[in-house]
Amino acid sequence: MGSLLDTERASEVAAVTAATQPLHPPQREVTLANDGLRTHRLLSLVATLSLFGVAFASWGSTVQVPATGGLAMLVFGLGIGLVVAIAAASSEAALARLDVVLLMLALLALAAWATEALYRNPGYGTDEAAFEQAAANLLLHGHDPYGVNLLPALSQYSVPIQYATYTMNGGVVSTLGYPSLPVLVVTAFVAAFGGTQAVPVANVVVLMIAAVAMFALLPRRFRALGALVPVGLPILFGYAVAGVNAIICMALLIPVAYRWTNVGADGRLTRTHRWQAVALGLALSTQQLAWFIAPFLLLGIYLARRPALGTRGARRVLALYGGYAGAAFAVLNAPFVIWSSSAWLSGITAPLTQHAIPYGQGIVDLTLFLHAGGGAVASYNLAGGALYIGLLVIYGLRFRSLARACFILPTVALFFASRSLAEYYMTLVAVIVVSIATVDPGSVVAAAEIDTRWLRLPQSYGRRLAPVLCILPATVFLANALASPQPLSMRIVEVRTTGQLQSVWRLRVLVHNRSDHVLSPHFATNSIGQATTFWNVIGGPSSLLPHATVTYLLAAPNVGSMSGITSPFLLEAFTLSPQTVSSTQLYTPQPYAVTLVPSYVDHLLPSGSATVLTVQLRSPLGARVRKP
């Protein structure tokens, strides 16, 4: 027994000793190769497994659209087989061939998912989608789409009215607010397919193209991400079928992000670089999000080229790249500028000037839902603008550290704005992946950085102090936004509810103006994080004098704005001059729900017989409430 234990102990010591010994070069190469093969295999496996969720979602309309059920079954079957093949693959080359099958399977799954989603919800989910298709129809009939009232499109394309974009003055956005490319793309699909679901169909096709482009541009080991990111994750698909044109912008930025630090490395633009610049121009012609990214990209290209080419050479590369991008933007937008330059300019700058009500998943939620601030909504945008400039300077100061964040860093500033939609950075996920996976480490390490001698301090002190100075203005604006109290104190004193609809349709609210300003409030309810249509004021003044207290009687403008009687909601009040938002505490019209037990009778009752139903009160979480 003792000799057996000694043998086992000796084996353990030998194993530990072998594990701690340095690997010889051949062993190290084998280990690295195995690590690479394992990484490739796991990425391909996760990407394939992600398609099972897509297939299951596609199967939901199999009764009404049997083809989707067939495609879902096919994705499940091929996916199971692909998992087995990936597990059994013995080389990188074999996995690379399987990745091609994975991409084809992902596109098939995406087509099935889109068919199911569009059948289940034929209406549009955003006002921008409805406006783009209405603009495309105008263009096909020879009319300028900019400056035209497009509100009728909301009804035409079944957009819930609460999903319109409302402004601080009580109005609603009614005109096209984007550059021309989305309208041109949708016009092509309207002409080809007669207009049925033209916007989401166009977006899904663009998402497929983005998946192929991502697959082609990523290093071979990471190509499975070309199926996982655009298809396996539900983020981009949800935005695509909702008609969000940032999907088109994202697809155009994918080639822009590919090895962008190598642009003009030899002092000139190759054919690939010229096409990348054109893609940037097309992205700028799609969505304002690209406008915020472009300065970071251009500054990065300049800093990457300056050490080898000098200031003059780097400027020349930058001018050529910017020239191609600007030319692409001009070609697409020139016809509309000629048509009506004022209408076009007003349209493309509208998101920056229309004073839309605060909304999104950013810092402004502290005001909207936690009652921090509210009296200085404009300070959020000032904070975002100041932070954007500060981040651009910091990016130049620390370029070698921040180069890989080129396509995400600009959106940090948008997180601080009053309109801080998660869409701004979520639609960039594919762009960020391509950028980080393909950036050239050598170009980043050798790149120049902005000098801090303008601070008249030693370089070491300047590098520490400059970022603080860059962020300081944004911090001041943000502090003002959070510290300025909401000007209106509001309390719901009475509600009127509907019968069968089980919802609230009238409110009586006591409002006190705590500020020194005359305010003209516009009221909306909020139960899902997004304000409804402004409620009609049927009792109360249009303007509230300083320090006055008034009772307002409000009526719901439509069914979509009525909160359920058991749903907690806020009443919000927006004013334009000054830009403020005030809200009540969370209000629940009826804290309990009534249920009948049994909830259904699953057998025939003989004529003249009876069944007993027990009435129960339930809390919002479903717990039984024992109250008389």
Side-chain angles (χ1 to χ4, degrees):
M1 183 69 176
S3 60
L4 179 59
L5 292 174
D6 291 341
T7 301
E8 291 179 349
R9 188 177 297 108
S11 299
E12 293 175 358
V13 171
V16 171
T17 302
T20 57
Q21 292 296 319
L23 294 174
H24 296 294
Q27 293 174 298
R28 187 181 299 112
E29 290 176 6
V30 170
T31 301
L32 292 175
N34 288 338
D35 288 344
L37 185 63
R38 184 183 298 111
T39 300
H40 192 163
R41 192 191 312 277
L42 287 174
L43 283 176
S44 299
L45 180 63
V46 171
T48 303
L49 294 176
S50 72
L51 298 183
F52 289 166
V54 176
F56 192 73
S58 306
W59 187 80
S61 296
T62 187
V63 173
Q64 295 82 10
V65 189
T68 61
L71 290 177
M73 179 191 66
L74 186 61
V75 173
F76 275 127
L78 293 178
I80 293 171
L82 190 56
V83 169
V84 174
I86 290 171
S90 58
S91 66
E92 291 263 9
L95 285 174
R97 290 191 293 270
L98 292 175
D99 284 341
V100 176
V101 178
L102 169 61
L103 177 64
M104 297 298 104
L105 192 61
L107 297 179
L108 183 67
L110 183 58
W113 197 9
T115 303
E116 189 277 337
L118 296 178
Y119 174 83
R120 178 167 38 84
N121 185 17
Y124 286 1
T126 61
D127 56 348
E128 71 178 77
F131 286 179
E132 284 173 11
Q133 183 149 346
N137 288 329
L138 287 172
L139 191 59
L140 284 172
H141 289 85
H143 301 293
D144 182 4
Y146 286 99
V148 178
N149 181 6
L150 301 175
L151 277 180
L154 299 182
S155 176
Q156 182 178 355
Y157 300 110
S158 303
V159 179
I161 189 61
Q162 61 268 30
Y163 292 160
T165 301
Y166 296 98
T167 57
M168 300 288 283
N169 64 353
V172 57
V173 173
S174 60
T175 56
L176 183 65
Y178 298 97
S180 64
L181 184 59
V183 176
L184 297 175
V185 171
V186 174
T187 299
F189 276 81
V190 170
F193 301 105
T196 303
Q197 298 280 12
V199 177
V201 169
N203 275 6
V204 170
V205 171
V206 169
L207 188 58
M208 289 180 172
I209 295 172
V212 174
M214 192 176 178
F215 183 90
L217 296 177
L218 284 171
R220 186 172 72 169
R221 184 171 296 169
F222 302 109
R223 282 180 175 171
L225 293 174
L228 175 63
V229 174
V231 183
L233 300 180
I235 298 170
L236 297 181
F237 176 79
Y239 284 124
V241 295
V244 174
N245 58 33
I247 294 296
I248 302 175
C249 183
M250 174 212 69
L252 291 166
L253 288 175
I254 287 175
V256 175
Y258 173 71
R259 295 178 63 85
W260 65 269
T261 52
N262 287 359
V263 169
D266 58 356
R268 62 184 183 87
L269 296 185
T270 65
R271 178 182 298 177
T272 298
H273 298 157
R274 291 194 292 270
W275 280 114
Q276 286 178 294
V278 169
L280 175 62
L282 297 179
L284 295 171
S285 299
T286 302
Q287 233 250 10
Q288 289 82 356
L289 180 60
W291 299 4
F292 291 93
I293 293 172
F296 282 77
L297 175 65
L298 296 176
L299 176 60
I301 292 173
Y302 171 78
L303 293 174
R305 298 286 73 82
R306 199 176 73 179
L309 303 179
T311 300
R312 185 174 180 180
R315 287 177 178 173
R316 181 176 181 275
V317 168
L318 195 62
L320 289 172
Y321 191 87
Y324 277 100
F329 180 86
V331 167
L332 286 178
N333 290 277
F336 300 96
V337 175
I338 296 172
W339 220 332
S340 175
S341 58
S342 60
W344 173 82
L345 184 61
S346 176
I348 67 169
T349 59
L352 307 176
T353 61
Q354 63 197 7
H355 302 301
I357 62 173
Y359 169 64
Q361 294 72 42
I363 298 293
V364 73
D365 283 359
L366 295 177
T367 293
L368 293 176
F369 308 119
L370 297 178
H371 307 285
V377 171
S379 289
Y380 278 111
N381 293 326
L382 293 173
L387 183 61
Y388 179 84
I389 296 172
L391 288 175
L392 184 60
V393 175
I394 294 172
Y395 173 75
L397 292 171
R398 303 291 179 85
F399 177 70
R400 290 191 285 271
S401 300
L402 296 175
R404 291 178 177 83
C406 174
F407 290 88
I408 187 61
L409 198 58
T411 66
V412 174
L414 299 178
F415 186 76
F416 287 77
S418 63
R419 295 284 290 188
S420 50
L421 281 68
E423 163 194 328
Y424 299 150
Y425 41 89
M426 291 172 69
T427 53
L428 291 175
V429 289
V431 181
I432 296 166
V433 168
V434 171
S435 173
I436 293 177
T438 64
V439 71
D440 179 23
S443 297
V444 173
V445 170
E449 292 182 332
I450 295 177
D451 201 338
T452 58
R453 284 178 293 183
W454 51 274
L455 290 172
R456 301 186 183 278
L457 291 172
Q459 183 76 357
S460 59
Y461 289 105
R463 285 181 59 82
R464 297 190 190 100
L465 183 59
V468 176
L469 294 177
C470 290
I471 294 177
L472 185 59
T475 304
V476 173
F477 287 125
L478 180 61
N480 182 59
L482 294 174
S484 300
Q486 60 184 30
L488 300 179
S489 173
M490 303 192 299
R491 182 169 60 90
I492 298 174
V493 295
E494 183 186 0
V495 299
R496 293 285 185 89
T497 61
T498 59
Q500 187 176 0
L501 293 178
Q502 296 282 292
S503 56
V504 176
W505 73 280
R506 184 174 287 191
L507 297 172
R508 189 180 298 275
V509 189
L510 188 66
V511 181
H512 173 65
N513 185 357
R514 298 184 294 195
S515 74
D516 297 324
H517 301 279
V518 177
L519 299 177
S520 299
H522 305 280
F523 301 93
T525 56
N526 191 332
S527 62
I528 60 172
Q530 182 171 354
T532 65
T533 309
F534 289 117
W535 283 47
N536 298 318
V537 177
I538 58 177
S542 59
S543 296
L544 189 58
L545 297 176
H547 309 291
T549 300
V550 173
T551 298
Y552 281 91
L553 187 60
L554 309 175
N558 47 58
V559 172
S561 298
M562 299 180 187
S563 298
I565 61 174
T566 59
S567 299
F569 68 90
L570 300 170
L571 178 68
E572 297 175 330
F574 302 92
T575 66
L576 177 62
S577 182
Q579 293 186 43
T580 70
V581 58
S582 305
S583 61
T584 63
Q585 296 297 319
L586 201 62
Y587 184 86
T588 305
Q590 174 53 262
Y592 307 122
V594 174
T595 61
L596 299 179
V597 179
S599 57
Y600 57 87
V601 177
D602 58 0
H603 59 276
L604 292 174
L605 297 177
S607 178
S609 64
T611 188
V612 177
L613 299 178
T614 303
V615 179
Q616 295 182 351
L617 289 181
R618 299 280 182 175
S619 74
L621 297 178
R624 190 170 177 182
V625 178
R626 299 184 181 275
K627 293 176 71 72

